[in-house]
């Protein structure tokens, strides 16, 4: 049975049938259920090849915006910057991809300490939003109590603990392995890792676990125990440097790089930034390719909407976006291996 034959039997236009089978909100719920029941009864199945062809045709011309996707930022009051730099990069790239696919991406910021999920749900319903990307700013290991039954949700990053949702993130373990390979290739021997506990917890301890695995696989290297701090402190950092004398340090904290630069130590100690896109000065490190994360999130949401996959998944899936190496002046072959005097 074809789509037009099904439409004729239902007594509606074929475009109505197409929208109803995709559960589009423009079609009344009762009509959608009636058409879906008839399609099931007649054994009608969508031809995936036809769907691909139509998608290509839509992409080849200017696409009229017919539906919105929400990009949800859950920002605590204590946050000074409502959107982090990497989130801006994600969001800007995601907006472009959504537009290309015929969707409008709307930023929705929720800044209360205790998020009013009832209010969020009201906003989503008023805007006919069915797809929700939960972006940056999620409180650490948070529990989202928003009713997701009629929504297609997707999480960016690893900060969300309950419920388990499909998510997309930079591959932090791949990033630190790549960085360690570059360090090893340049001949560094004493390798230190300095991380803030809060940041490491938010990525599910992937940097430290990747570092420790690399240490086990390369016992000839002197890889110091990861040093995780609550807050950065110059005095404590100076003490740590004197005690361990690393010839290279990996970190995602700009203040570590700033301290090495201010103290004139960059000719003695190499530095690798684990998120080089957030650094305000030239350095070697891992570019997390956040401009790929946002578009991939939009594509995943659109796929869920078109295939009517709503609610909390039975088994959550994860997409990891690999980082690329960014060379810079803070990494070179070490000249000396004498103890540091700081």
């Amino acid at each position: 049975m074809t789509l037009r034959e099904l439409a004729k039997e239902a007594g509606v236009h074929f475009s109505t049938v197409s929208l109803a089978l995709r559960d589009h909100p423009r079609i009344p719920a009762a009509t959608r259920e009636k058409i879906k029941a008839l399609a099931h009864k007649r054994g009608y199945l969508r031809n995936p090849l036809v769907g691909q062809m139509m998608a290509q045709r839509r992409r080849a011309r200017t696409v009229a915006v017919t539906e919105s996707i929400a990009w949800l930022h859950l920002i605590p009051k204590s946050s000074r910057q409502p959107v982090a730099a990497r989130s801006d990069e994600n969001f800007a790239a995601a907006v472009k991809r959504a537009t290309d696919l015929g969707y409008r991406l709307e930023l929705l910021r929720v800044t209360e300490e205790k998020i009013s999920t009832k209010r969020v749900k009201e906003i989503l319903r008023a805007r006919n939003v069915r797809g929700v990307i939960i972006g940056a700013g999620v409180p650490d290991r948070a529990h989202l109590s928003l009713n997701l039954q009629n929504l297609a949700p997707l999480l960016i990053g690893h900060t969300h603990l309950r419920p388990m949702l499909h998510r997309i993130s930079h591959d932090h373990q791949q990033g630190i392995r790549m960085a360690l390979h570059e360090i090893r290739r340049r001949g560094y021997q004493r390798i230190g890792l300095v991380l803030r506990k809060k940041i490491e917890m938010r990525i599910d301890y992937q940097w430290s676990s990747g570092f420790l695995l690399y240490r086990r696989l390369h016992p000839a290297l002197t890889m110091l125990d990861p040093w995780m701090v609550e807050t950065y402190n110059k005095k404590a950092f100076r003490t740590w440097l004197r005690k361990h004398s690393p010839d290279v340090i990996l970190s995602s904290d700009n203040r570590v790089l700033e301290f090495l630069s201010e103290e004139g130590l960059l000719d003695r100690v190499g530095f690798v930034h684990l998120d080089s896109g957030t650094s305000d000065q030239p350095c070697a490190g891992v570019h997390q390719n956040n401009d790929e994360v946002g578009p991939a999130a939009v594509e995943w949401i659109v796929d869920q909407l078109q295939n009517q996959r709503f609610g909390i998944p039975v088994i959550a899936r994860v997409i990891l976006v690999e980082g690329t190496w960014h060379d810079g002046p803070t990494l070179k072959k070490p000249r000396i291996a004498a103890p540091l005097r700081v």
Side-chain angles (χ1 to χ4, degrees):
M1 170 171 277
T2 67
L3 186 74
R4 291 179 182 272
E5 289 172 342
L6 186 64
K8 183 177 181 180
E9 184 170 344
V12 297
H13 193 269
F14 70 86
S15 63
T16 302
V17 173
S18 177
L19 291 171
L21 293 178
R22 287 185 281 133
D23 217 24
H24 199 285
R26 281 176 50 190
I27 308 302
T31 304
R32 295 201 303 264
E33 294 305 316
K34 177 182 175 181
I35 291 173
K36 285 190 284 186
L38 180 61
H40 179 73
K41 180 179 178 180
R42 297 296 185 222
Y44 173 79
L45 294 174
R46 292 176 61 192
N47 187 327
L49 295 178
V50 172
Q52 291 174 20
M53 181 185 69
M54 294 304 295
Q56 290 172 357
R57 287 183 62 186
R58 286 193 293 268
R59 285 194 292 270
R61 65 177 187 269
T62 302
V63 184
V65 176
T66 57
E67 187 169 358
S68 292
I69 297 170
W71 182 287
L72 187 62
H73 280 268
L74 311 181
I75 311 295
K77 280 184 179 179
S78 57
S79 177
R80 294 182 179 180
Q81 296 181 343
V83 183
R86 65 176 61 86
S87 303
D88 287 335
E89 194 175 7
N90 276 342
F91 183 69
V95 167
K96 183 179 184 306
R97 187 61 183 137
T99 303
D100 290 343
L101 295 175
Y103 290 79
R104 180 186 297 106
L105 192 60
E106 298 187 20
L107 180 62
L108 178 59
R109 291 192 179 99
V110 181
T111 56
E112 291 82 3
E113 286 289 350
K114 293 185 177 180
I115 299 160
S116 172
T117 54
K118 180 180 178 181
R119 177 58 182 155
V120 173
K121 187 175 180 181
E122 289 173 354
I123 293 172
L124 297 178
R125 186 187 298 114
R127 298 182 184 181
N128 263 335
V129 171
R130 300 184 301 155
V132 178
I133 299 172
I134 304 168
V138 180
D140 303 324
R141 317 306 286 162
H143 182 126
L144 183 67
S145 57
L146 180 65
N147 186 346
L148 301 171
Q149 182 178 355
N150 298 313
L151 297 172
L154 176 67
L155 175 70
I156 290 183
H158 298 275
T159 58
H160 200 74
L161 188 61
R162 295 284 188 276
M164 293 299 293
L165 302 174
H166 296 316
R167 60 191 182 275
I168 182 167
S169 171
H170 164 64
D171 189 345
H172 296 86
Q173 287 207 9
Q174 175 268 341
I176 197 167
R177 285 196 308 269
M178 177 175 59
L180 288 166
H181 174 73
E182 292 292 336
I183 287 171
R184 180 165 164 254
R185 190 170 67 85
R186 284 166 169 79
Y188 288 90
Q189 290 297 315
R190 292 185 63 79
I191 306 171
L193 176 64
V194 179
L195 300 171
R196 289 183 61 192
K197 288 182 181 179
K198 183 176 182 179
I199 301 300
E200 182 67 351
M201 181 178 69
R202 292 189 66 180
I203 64 168
D204 203 20
Y205 302 95
Q206 293 191 53
W207 278 329
S208 56
S209 60
F211 183 87
L212 292 172
L213 176 59
Y214 200 90
R215 181 169 73 174
R216 183 170 183 177
L217 295 175
H218 300 278
L221 293 174
T222 301
M223 297 177 65
L224 308 172
D225 289 339
W227 187 40
M228 287 188 275
V229 299
E230 295 287 351
T231 58
Y232 179 76
N233 179 282
K234 282 187 177 182
K235 183 178 179 181
F237 183 57
R238 185 178 282 109
T239 301
W240 179 83
L241 277 175
R242 286 199 198 101
K243 180 179 180 180
H244 297 287
S245 293
D247 55 25
V248 64
I249 297 172
L250 299 95
S251 182
S252 64
D253 198 322
N254 288 328
R255 284 170 291 184
V256 174
L257 175 57
E258 290 168 4
F259 177 82
L260 293 175
S261 180
E262 290 169 0
E263 298 292 318
L265 293 173
L266 285 176
D267 61 338
R268 301 273 306 279
V269 183
F271 179 82
V272 172
H273 205 305
L274 293 171
D275 190 2
S276 62
T278 65
S279 176
D280 54 5
Q281 59 181 297
C283 63
V286 178
H287 183 61
Q288 293 193 2
N289 293 322
N290 292 300
D291 56 344
E292 294 291 331
V293 174
V298 169
E299 291 167 3
W300 199 345
I301 285 289
V302 170
D303 179 74
Q304 289 187 76
L305 293 175
Q306 292 181 346
N307 290 282
Q308 305 175 51
R309 299 192 186 105
F310 301 106
I312 300 170
V314 177
I315 299 176
R317 298 179 181 180
V318 181
I319 288 180
L320 297 176
V321 176
E322 291 193 344
T324 49
W325 177 253
H326 177 76
D327 223 336
T330 59
L331 194 67
K332 52 186 178 294
K333 188 172 181 178
R335 300 173 185 173
I336 53 178
L340 289 173
R341 293 181 175 86
V342 293

